[in-house]
Amino acid sequence: MKKLVILGSTGSIGTQTIDILDCIEAEVCAITVNTNIEMAEKQARQLHPQLVGVYDEEKAAELRIKLADTDIRVVSGMDGLIAAATLPQADIVVTAVVGMVGLLPTLAAIDAGKDIALANKETLVCAGQIVMRRAREKGVAILPVDSEHSAIFQCLQGRADNAIRRILLTASGGPFFGKTREEMRKMKKEQALKHPNWSMGAKITIDSATMMNKGLELIEAMWLYDVEPEAIDIVVHRESIVHSAVEYDDGSVIAQLGNPDMRLPIQYALTYPKRVPCKVPALDLPTLSRLTFFAPDTDAFPALNLARRAAKARGNLGAVLNGANEAAVDLFLKDKIAFTEIAELVGKAVEGVNYISEITVNDVLESDRVARRMVLDCVK
Ligand code: MG
């Protein structure tokens, strides 16, 4: 029986992880939430974890009262998240929190020798060189949960020592595929939040509309698979059936296909290298009339080139790109800026920040803070 910790148990990935627990042999020994203690209480009573971490201190105190009739321990703040991530009996930590807040608990889990089922892409985008180095030193596995990275991981099984020539990272293109920048300028959050294929949290759905999500995934893939950004092609594939592909030196392309449902990549990360029956309906190829592929429109979606630039530069630019983007998406969701200003503000931060090539964890946190401030200062 595998023992799991779920960081971010009430979010989209967290709840889908809980949904597949009966398919895999696993039990949950800790969960963490940001503020949603109503759902945390339900999950705690259902899963009987040893520990529940609540990031918000006041909400933690409320949950402690709600769970007073149980022996479940409630901890709070970043220390609480780290306590959950390093729980002695845990084997694997599902990092399903949104944003930079995932970095310190993920590093703590690695230091404690836990394998990581990584759904928090910001961790690698901001601190890929630190995280991957530490994982190698500690001998822990970083198992991708992001559907594209799971696909690439699956395509790499059985590669032996063969080199890969390219990664073909597929993108749905989001709700604004085919639109010009001018048309996108007027788009409101209600339109940006309508993703054609995937049901996801708000932040990532906006990232999908700007295609920054694909840019962040490019950086994530670069670190996970140790490839140069030039060897990663982004391919728009509207149907979200081919979840990504790998091209080997002989020109053979191996792809992973499936219905767009996160429960499969979550499950594979938790059962790897085993495959077990999954709740996701199997793909029925004859019912798919056709699959289409396009080169991305980098003029309409400038986030792609910004991310490529940050990927090539490495250092602190990943953290700057991500921090500026989180701040700008937040402003857009609060109706403070236009849709196209998200990428413009991120561009200004990437241009204007001091570049640091060899980064420490403190540099990452500081670059994130500076980037957010730059975005807010531009809007004032
Ligand atoms: Mg993805």
Side-chain angles (χ1 to χ4, degrees):
M1 194 71 111
K2 249 186 200 167
K3 296 199 169 52
L4 308 185
V5 172
I6 308 174
L7 303 180
S9 62
T10 57
S12 171
I13 299 292
T15 51
Q16 293 183 81
T17 304
I18 293 169
D19 184 45
I20 58 148
L21 285 176
D22 52 350
C23 303
I24 61 177
E25 282 186 19
E27 66 181 38
V28 175
C29 52
I31 56 173
T32 77
V33 306
N34 183 18
T35 57
N36 188 349
I37 52 164
E38 287 71 27
M39 200 195 266
E41 184 189 358
K42 268 190 211 135
Q43 291 179 339
R45 292 189 186 278
Q46 175 201 343
L47 302 167
H48 307 289
Q50 238 190 278
L51 198 115
V52 179
V54 183
Y55 190 55
D56 183 293
E57 306 275 353
E58 276 173 35
K59 294 281 182 186
E62 281 179 49
L63 184 63
R64 215 165 275 133
I65 295 165
K66 285 176 188 284
L67 289 176
D69 63 314
T70 71
D71 55 5
I72 300 168
R73 198 149 65 87
V74 178
V75 291
S76 64
M78 182 52 80
D79 290 346
L81 266 53
I82 290 173
T86 56
L87 203 66
Q89 59 269 54
D91 303 308
I92 183 161
V93 178
V94 181
T95 62
V97 294
V98 179
M100 260 293 278
V101 67
L103 177 61
L104 293 178
T106 305
L107 285 172
I110 293 171
D111 285 343
K114 316 294 184 195
D115 286 335
I116 307 289
L118 187 90
N120 173 252
K121 64 187 67 165
E122 292 86 350
T123 295
L124 285 187
V125 169
C126 298
Q129 63 195 87
I130 298 170
V131 171
M132 294 309 287
R133 194 194 306 130
R134 228 183 260 189
R136 268 193 305 276
E137 284 165 7
K138 293 281 172 183
V140 312
I142 307 282
L143 299 151
V145 169
D146 210 344
S147 62
E148 295 79 359
H149 304 79
S150 173
I152 296 162
F153 184 58
Q154 294 179 57
C155 296
L156 291 173
Q157 301 306 313
R159 81 189 266 196
D161 51 6
N162 288 303
I164 56 173
R165 194 193 277 165
R166 279 196 303 163
I167 286 174
L168 304 167
L169 182 68
T170 53
S172 72
F176 300 153
F177 171 75
K179 294 212 183 314
T180 63
R181 270 195 86 55
E182 213 28 61
E183 289 169 310
M184 278 187 260
R185 194 162 289 278
K186 297 163 227 123
M187 293 298 169
K188 291 288 165 218
K189 66 175 177 225
E190 292 71 25
Q191 293 154 299
L193 284 171
K194 271 193 201 121
H195 196 277
N197 304 331
W198 293 96
S199 128
M200 307 177 288
K203 156 76 170 48
I204 186 173
T205 306
I206 300 300
D207 285 345
S208 184
T210 59
M211 290 196 78
M212 181 59 89
N213 182 51
K214 211 48 55 178
L216 299 176
E217 288 183 354
L218 182 144
I219 302 175
E220 191 185 2
M222 168 180 96
W223 290 119
L224 271 173
Y225 304 113
D226 195 20
V227 293
E228 293 302 318
E230 293 81 357
I232 305 172
D233 285 355
I234 292 168
V235 181
V236 176
H237 167 51
R238 295 294 285 157
E239 296 81 8
S240 297
I241 295 292
V242 175
H243 297 309
S244 278
V246 167
E247 183 185 301
Y248 283 89
D249 263 345
D250 61 357
S252 211
V253 173
I254 311 284
Q256 188 258 340
L257 283 71
N259 282 314
D261 189 314
M262 286 308 296
R263 288 175 298 178
L264 196 136
I266 295 169
Q267 175 172 311
Y268 188 66
L270 296 177
T271 62
Y272 171 80
K274 261 201 221 163
R275 290 183 184 272
V276 298
C278 181
K279 287 178 181 169
V280 178
L283 198 59
D284 183 31
L285 279 178
T287 63
L288 301 170
S289 53
R290 61 181 184 156
L291 299 177
T292 58
F293 301 93
F294 308 89
D297 181 347
T298 51
D299 292 328
F301 298 96
L304 292 173
N305 284 340
L306 284 172
R308 252 189 210 286
R309 192 170 148 209
K312 279 183 208 166
R314 303 180 187 220
N316 66 332
L317 284 201
V320 171
L321 179 90
N322 180 72
N325 182 57
E326 280 190 31
V329 168
D330 188 52
L331 289 172
F332 173 69
L333 286 172
K334 290 174 176 154
D335 297 315
K336 298 259 169 68
I337 60 170
F339 179 75
T340 44
E341 281 179 278
I342 299 173
E344 288 163 18
L345 289 168
V346 175
K348 278 184 192 161
V350 169
E351 291 294 329
V353 82
N354 282 331
Y355 173 68
I356 308 167
S357 65
E358 282 300 314
I359 51 167
T360 63
V361 174
N362 269 340
D363 293 329
V364 172
L365 299 174
E366 180 62 13
S367 296
D368 174 75
R369 213 173 54 77
V370 169
R372 286 168 196 267
R373 168 127 36 80
M374 287 171 88
V375 167
L376 293 177
D377 286 348
C378 282
V379 174
K380 258 182 208 158

